[in-house]
């Protein structure tokens, strides 16, 4: 068990709920529930198995308000359904194993590492109550994923965390960072889907640690986007050696990136003919960025923008044909390094392929989705996803302030 030492901070959940509602008003796409994304997830190539996967789910009290319909549980079940059971491990496929961990003030292994076929009832049993100790959840999953009988770990193990994102009390952040760094040392990718918390609000050490693990830091606009996040994680590969290729992004999510002196960051999206897209890149650290939209199939540039005085670069593009849209982010000053976020907007609902406007556009087929990337080497790539206006930032800032007050009281 991974205990946190203080009692629950009352009031936090109510305050965070206010933030979540405010953020929900700013969302790009209308998505009421998580099941819509089953079409998209069904079409993602989930690979050939042989993985060890940890599903780590926030069951803190704030989830009652932030995810009243338990859409993160739906997303977790969609992910589990993409894993290969021992019964389905035929024709060159190998079975996956999964563990399910819930955490609030304490972490609990609900489903010890085993066949995905038995995990659903454990996911369904998750309720919401108590504080938020994210590192406890990651750490419990790590123990399970590396236990003696479980075989090799490096490059075949991944952890997905679904949370509303802030350790409570905040000094637990140190444990969370250490847990993610331990995962990285073990060759385990850790991806986080943060409900409403983006990289500008998160402790930068957490964002950096997640990206260095090879996973993504993704901000979810609404609880329903948990399924979209699962799709993104599948597209990027749940486990594997560090990547050098692009990070897959999907409209409606905001993904964090980390730029170093030695790397540019590339993000990719399979766009359909006639899809109207926009890209917002926001510098989180104070770095001047250049963003290039490119046809990744032909390596032809569409357009370029630089970050403005407020650190934002914005580009719009309507595709003429189905193509692999590539978003390259580089620093103006080659010596610069730091965090940024990438957010894609689309005229299509990425879950259903249906236009959110009335334009007549094709429905995606299986070939719409790129194959799961094979392993290679990513120095630093990552993605975090969210959408907030200034008013939401103010409210969130107030929430964090109130949390600090809560700690003091
Ligand atoms: C959820 O989405 C599916 C697919 O779009 C739809 O059929 C269903 O009615 C929705 N459920 C709710 C509760 O909105
Ligand atoms: C998309 O384009 C990028 C950049 O050229 C490339 O690295 C990536 O492999 C391409 N993805 C697919 C699915 O073709
Ligand atoms: C980006 O595209 C989305 C979807 O079409 C749209 O709702 C949003 O307003 C666009 N963002 C900006 C800043 O124009
Ligand atoms: C889209 O189609 C619906 C149903 O036909 C219609 O009510 C709505 O006004 C249309 N919206 C636009 C922007 O044309």
């Amino acid at each position: 068990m991974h205990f946190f030492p203080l009692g629950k901070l009352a009031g936090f959940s109510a305050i965070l709920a206010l933030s979540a509602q405010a953020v929900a008003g700013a969302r790009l796409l209308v998505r009421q529930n998580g099941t819509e994304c089953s079409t998209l997830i069904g079409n993602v190539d989930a690979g050939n198995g042989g993985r060890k996967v940890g599903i780590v789910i926030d069951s803190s009290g704030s989830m009652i308000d932030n995810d009243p319909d338990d859409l993160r549980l739906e997303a977790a079940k969609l992910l589990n359904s993409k894993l290969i059971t021992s019964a389905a491990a035929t024709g060159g496929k190998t079975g996956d194993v999964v563990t399910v961990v819930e955490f609030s003030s304490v972490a609990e292994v609900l489903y010890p590492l085993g066949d995905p076929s038995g995990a659903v009832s454990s996911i369904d049993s998750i309720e919401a109550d108590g504080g938020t100790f994210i590192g406890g959840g990651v750490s419990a999953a790590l123990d399970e994923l590396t236990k003696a009988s479980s075989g090799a770990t490096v490059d075949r193990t991944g952890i997905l965390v679904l949370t509303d994102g802030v350790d409570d009390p905040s000094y637990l952040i140190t444990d969370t960072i250490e847990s993610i760094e331990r995962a990285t040392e073990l060759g385990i990718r850790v991806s986080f889907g943060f409900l409403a918390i983006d990289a500008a609000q998160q402790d930068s050490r957490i964002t950096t640690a997640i990206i260095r693990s090879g996973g993504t830091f993704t901000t979810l606009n609404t609880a329903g986007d948990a399924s979209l996040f699962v799709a993104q994680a599948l597209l990027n590969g749940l486990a594997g050696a560090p990547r050098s290729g692009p990070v897959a992004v999907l409209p409606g999510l905001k993904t964090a990136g980390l730029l170093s002196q030695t790397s540019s960051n590339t993000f990719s999206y399979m766009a359909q003919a006639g899809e109207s897209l926009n890209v917002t890149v926001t510098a989180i650290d104070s770095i001047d960025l250049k963003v290039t939209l490119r046809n990744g199939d032909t390596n032809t540039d569409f357009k370029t923008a630089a970050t403005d005085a407020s650190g934002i670069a914005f580009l719009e593009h309507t595709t003429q044909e189905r193509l692999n849209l590539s978003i390259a982010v580089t620093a103006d000053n080659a010596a610069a390094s730091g965090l940024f976020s990438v957010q894609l907007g689309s005229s299509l609902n990425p879950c259903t392929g249906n236009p959110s406007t009335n334009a007549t556009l094709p429905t995606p087929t299986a070939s719409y989705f790129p194959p799961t990337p094979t392993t290679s080497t990513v120095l630093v790539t990552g993605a975090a996803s969210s959408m907030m206006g200034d008013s939401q930032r103010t409210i969130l800032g107030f929430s964090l302030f109130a949390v600090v007050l809560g700690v003091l009281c």
Side-chain angles (χ1 to χ4, degrees):
M1 293 288 245
H2 303 259
F3 288 93
F4 95 4
L6 278 192
K8 178 189 174 190
L9 294 174
F12 179 59
S13 42
I15 293 159
L16 201 67
L18 172 64
S19 313
Q21 277 160 14
V23 169
R27 67 186 174 179
L28 269 179
L29 298 150
V30 181
R31 276 185 299 277
Q32 298 85 3
N33 68 48
T35 55
E36 275 189 336
C37 256
S38 56
T39 310
L40 185 156
I41 290 176
N43 283 334
V44 174
D45 177 355
N48 290 324
R51 294 160 298 198
K52 301 196 285 184
V53 177
I55 302 177
V56 177
I57 300 176
D58 192 335
S59 61
S60 66
S62 54
M63 280 299 180
I64 294 172
D65 300 306
N66 289 339
D67 184 12
D69 299 324
D70 285 334
L71 298 178
R72 71 197 182 290
L73 305 190
E74 295 306 314
K77 286 188 280 183
L78 282 172
L79 171 63
N80 188 66
S81 74
K82 292 297 285 189
L83 301 179
I84 296 167
T85 62
S86 57
T90 57
K93 292 191 191 280
T94 312
D96 290 312
V97 284
V98 68
T99 179
V100 178
V101 173
E102 71 167 342
F103 69 89
S104 53
S105 322
V106 297
E108 191 183 346
V109 176
L110 297 176
Y111 189 72
L113 197 63
D115 196 83
S117 60
V120 173
S121 58
S122 299
I123 297 171
D124 276 332
S125 74
I126 293 174
E127 292 176 355
D129 184 30
T132 305
F133 181 20
I134 302 172
V138 174
S139 190
L142 283 175
D143 291 348
E144 199 57 31
L145 289 164
T146 55
K147 67 184 183 186
S149 55
S150 70
T153 295
V154 178
D155 297 348
R156 61 177 284 242
T157 310
I159 294 176
L160 228 76
V161 183
L162 289 162
T163 176
D164 59 11
V166 178
D167 280 299
D168 167 22
S170 59
Y171 63 77
L172 293 170
I173 282 174
T174 315
D175 294 79
T176 298
I177 295 164
E178 282 170 6
S179 301
I180 301 165
E181 288 175 346
R182 179 155 78 99
T184 306
E185 283 160 19
L186 290 162
I188 300 175
R189 268 185 200 177
V190 191
S191 288
F192 273 67
F194 286 105
L195 182 54
I197 303 290
D198 80 359
Q201 278 99 33
Q202 186 57 274
D203 188 301
S204 64
R205 293 169 300 168
I206 288 189
T207 313
T208 303
I210 292 167
I211 293 172
R212 290 212 165 116
S213 83
T216 61
F217 178 120
T218 300
T219 306
L220 316 180
N221 204 15
T222 70
D225 288 341
S227 300
L228 205 51
F229 165 64
V230 163
Q232 184 195 36
L234 286 165
L235 287 172
N236 280 309
L238 297 172
R243 277 165 297 160
S244 60
V247 175
V249 289
L250 290 170
L253 299 176
K254 188 192 273 184
T255 302
L258 174 63
L259 208 63
S260 80
Q261 289 93 320
T262 49
S263 70
S264 74
N265 274 213
T266 308
F267 301 82
S268 68
Y269 172 66
M270 294 305 291
Q272 297 189 59
E275 186 167 1
S276 291
L277 294 152
N278 58 39
V279 178
T280 308
V281 173
T282 306
I284 294 165
D285 288 323
S286 149
I287 32 172
D288 294 328
L289 299 171
K290 196 179 92 174
V291 184
T292 304
L293 272 191
R294 185 173 289 155
N295 180 336
D297 298 325
T298 60
N299 229 11
T300 321
D301 289 1
F302 291 128
K303 54 182 73 167
T304 294
T307 44
D308 62 15
S310 48
I312 294 171
F314 180 75
L315 299 102
E316 290 176 294
H317 182 69
T318 300
T319 54
Q320 301 301 309
E321 55 185 344
R322 182 185 171 281
L323 57 86
N324 167 15
L325 187 80
S326 173
I327 305 158
V329 180
T330 51
D332 249 7
N333 171 357
S337 62
L339 292 165
F340 61 92
S341 64
V342 175
Q343 175 185 322
L344 194 60
S346 168
S347 56
L348 296 185
N349 179 328
C351 286
T352 60
N354 294 326
S356 52
T357 66
N358 285 351
T360 308
L361 292 164
T363 302
T365 60
S367 62
Y368 170 74
F369 301 99
T372 304
T374 47
T375 59
S376 44
T377 29
V378 161
L379 202 54
V380 272
T381 44
S385 315
S386 78
M387 268 153 252
M388 293 191 194
D390 286 338
S391 59
Q392 282 84 41
R393 284 182 202 285
T394 308
I395 291 166
L396 194 64
F398 170 73
S399 308
L400 295 172
F401 174 62
V403 171
V404 171
L405 276 186
V407 172
L408 294 176
C409 294

